[in-house]
Amino acid sequence: MDSYITMRAGCEATAEFVDRKSRFIAQLVHVESEDEAAAHIAEVRARHFDARHNVPAWILADGTERASDDGEPQRTSGMPTLEVLRGAGLRDVCCVTTRYFGGTLLGPGGLVRAYTAAAQAAIGEARAAGQLVEMTSVVPVEAHAAYARYEQVLRLVEQAGGKVEDSTFTDEVTLSLVFRAGDETGFAAAFTELMNGKQQLSVGTPCFAEF
């Protein structure tokens, strides 16, 4: 997996779908662990303590995922919500859909459609509000160069599609760089050639970040 979409941290997207007076309120947030997902689920249940159901579904960047029907008929609510998250390419998110019963049974098909629609609407709200961000597999690199080589190094970074996150100027220039995973190898080769084989480069561990 080279990239995925997630909610911006600290944001919550909420959307409501109504069918025959039953209200389905989807609440979507960024989470990075099972504990954070559990905290969001608990918060929503406290917020909507009088609701008939609070159906959770979450998926993490490592592929771990969970869903519960929270008392609804099996596979009519939690799994459809999870399928929406998967289909949108979302990771590190938790969606809890609150249902206030409207007095009319919707049947399994109606429930699947309603929970699906609520989750899709919440994602739509997040997208419209600019709350969705793409996380890309990147590699941090730290390069050290003499002042005379500074402009040349910047050109190599640009040619390799990298970004300069920070520059420190002391007796030499230290550049904190980031590349899409794989692009750092081309830069490292060009940089080593520029420095005549005198390696002054430190390549970090791949991670996911906005790029």
Side-chain angles (χ1 to χ4, degrees):
M1 183 178 62
D2 295 327
S3 66
Y4 63 90
I5 307 298
T6 190
M7 281 286 293
R8 193 177 299 279
C11 298
E12 179 176 314
T14 302
E16 182 172 333
F17 177 79
V18 179
D19 185 0
R20 284 164 279 183
K21 297 184 179 180
S22 278
R23 298 170 58 207
F24 298 83
I25 307 166
Q27 295 131 113
L28 179 68
V29 300
H30 175 84
V31 298
E32 295 182 4
S33 66
E34 185 170 353
D35 287 345
E36 289 185 12
H40 177 57
I41 295 166
E43 193 278 328
V44 171
R45 284 177 173 160
R47 182 192 307 173
H48 296 290
F49 63 91
D50 56 340
R52 178 71 68 92
H53 306 281
N54 286 291
V55 171
W58 53 267
I59 183 169
L60 302 181
D62 64 4
T64 303
E65 57 186 27
R66 297 285 187 277
S68 168
D69 293 309
D70 194 40
E72 292 281 31
Q74 189 175 9
R75 300 183 68 83
T76 62
S77 51
M79 189 55 66
T81 303
L82 185 59
E83 290 288 356
V84 171
L85 301 182
R86 290 173 180 163
L90 294 176
R91 297 289 180 99
D92 276 353
V93 293
C94 178
C95 181
V96 181
T97 303
T98 300
R99 181 192 182 190
Y100 285 97
F101 184 55
T104 301
L105 295 175
L106 304 183
L111 290 173
V112 170
R113 286 190 294 273
Y115 279 100
T116 297
Q120 289 174 334
I123 294 171
E125 288 292 327
R127 184 174 291 110
Q131 296 173 337
L132 295 182
V133 294
E134 182 177 9
M135 304 298 282
T136 302
S137 180
V138 299
V139 175
V141 174
E142 186 175 278
H144 303 271
Y147 280 80
R149 298 290 193 186
Y150 178 57
E151 294 296 333
Q152 292 171 289
V153 174
L154 290 182
R155 283 195 292 273
L156 294 182
V157 174
E158 183 180 1
Q159 289 167 5
K163 292 183 179 180
V164 179
E165 293 198 320
D166 191 28
S167 298
T168 304
F169 300 89
T170 53
D171 57 329
E172 63 178 5
V173 183
T174 300
L175 298 97
S176 297
L177 313 170
V178 63
F179 297 87
R180 293 181 185 274
D183 289 350
E184 79 283 356
T185 56
F187 169 78
F191 181 81
T192 300
E193 182 178 351
L194 176 67
M195 303 302 290
N196 298 317
K198 296 179 181 179
Q199 187 63 280
Q200 301 183 64
L201 201 67
S202 175
V203 179
T205 302
C207 62
F208 282 95
E210 288 187 60
F211 186 80

